[in-house]
Amino acid sequence: QVTLVESGGGLVQAGGSLRLSCLVLGDIFEVNAMVWYRQPPGAHREMVASINSGGNTYYTEAVKGRFTISRDNAENTVYLQMNSLKPEDTAVYYCAAQSDSDVEWGQGTQVTVSS
């Protein structure tokens, strides 16, 4: 089992950048993939980007070319670098750790992009 601690959200103007961090505490060897989700106001949670144990990445179409997911194994941390932010990127962002039997969630961090 793992515990996830997120940080890095905030308020930024359109066109700006933010980097979200997700610190993974616990049995990291059980984690197959790390995923960033977001939940815009009044909308469902959606997957944004993922990275698996082999380093393969996936991005939803809306963020391709602007967001980059990466990980630092030595620091047990997964990052989401967000560039060229748009007002429609405003959401609570969550990281999640997927294992064979479970999904653990972080507490979420608010990202607000002003126009």
Side-chain angles (χ1 to χ4, degrees):
Q1 191 171 2
V2 297
T3 300
L4 307 178
V5 181
E6 300 161 6
S7 60
L11 173 64
V12 65
Q13 288 188 331
S17 298
L18 284 174
R19 189 178 76 160
L20 306 183
S21 300
C22 178
L23 173 62
V24 184
L25 303 172
D27 296 330
I28 192 171
F29 299 106
E30 298 181 351
V31 176
N32 296 325
M34 294 295 300
V35 187
W36 283 99
Y37 290 83
R38 67 185 180 187
Q39 186 165 12
H44 296 295
R45 194 172 297 187
E46 60 183 9
M47 188 166 71
V48 176
S50 67
I51 185 166
N52 66 14
S53 56
N56 299 307
T57 58
Y58 164 85
Y59 299 93
T60 192
E61 193 64 34
V63 308
K64 281 182 180 178
R66 299 188 298 122
F67 290 13
T68 302
I69 189 171
S70 63
R71 66 185 188 194
D72 184 332
N73 291 333
E75 298 293 330
N76 286 354
T77 300
V78 176
Y79 301 100
L80 185 67
Q81 177 67 44
M82 305 185 295
N83 299 329
S84 301
L85 283 161
K86 305 175 181 180
E88 52 262 44
D89 294 318
T90 295
V92 179
Y93 283 71
Y94 299 88
C95 68
Q98 294 181 350
S99 65
D100 288 341
S101 58
D102 202 4
V103 178
E104 298 290 341
W105 293 89
Q107 79 281 6
T109 185
Q110 177 70 46
V111 172
T112 302
V113 185
S114 64
S115 57

